[in-house]
Amino acid sequence: MEQIEQGEGRLYIAGDGKNLAEITYRLEEATGNWIVDHTYVSEELRGQGTAEKLVREVVEKAREAGVKIIPVCPYAVKQFERHKEYSDVLSGDGSAS
């Protein structure tokens, strides 16, 4: 699998000069939380667990940064519901329950 790169407000996988997959997040200024608002995986990487790996990576980055996540992207919400081990970075304002 291709390497996950970090950009401004996103983690992504690029290849052949294009984005193959990404997860985006933005800072909620009032709380310092990250709002995960979008996940995308290209046709060529679908079915390989790529989106799940991106969610796992953003969770790890949040742990390193000491911030909480508010998942609003439907895929991220489902991943937080499935992976209770992510609860340490789930904001109390988060919609995943």
Side-chain angles (χ1 to χ4, degrees), residues 8-9 24-37 67-68 70:
E8 183 67 32
T24 61
Y25 57 93
R26 57 188 159 80
L27 179 67
E28 183 181 58
E29 302 230 359
T31 64
N33 293 330
W34 289 352
I35 299 171
V36 174
D37 55 9
V67 299
K68 300 286 185 180
I70 300 171

Side-chain angles (χ1 to χ4, degrees), residues 12-13 53 61 69 74:
Y12 65 97
I13 297 170
K53 290 173 186 168
K61 297 286 184 193
I69 292 175

Side-chain angles (χ1 to χ4, degrees), residues 7-61:
E8 183 67 32
R10 71 186 188 124
L11 298 170
Y12 65 97
I13 297 170
D16 297 327
K18 61 182 179 178
N19 281 339
L20 297 176
E22 75 175 348
I23 188 166
T24 61
Y25 57 93
R26 57 188 159 80
L27 179 67
E28 183 181 58
E29 302 230 359
T31 64
N33 293 330
W34 289 352
I35 299 171
V36 174
D37 55 9
H38 175 70
T39 305
Y40 164 77
V41 177
S42 66
E43 287 291 329
E44 58 197 277
L45 292 183
R46 286 195 184 145
Q48 300 176 36
T50 303
E52 188 172 350
K53 290 173 186 168
L54 288 169
V55 171
R56 188 177 318 122
E57 186 71 15
V58 82
V59 166
E60 288 303 317
K61 297 286 184 193

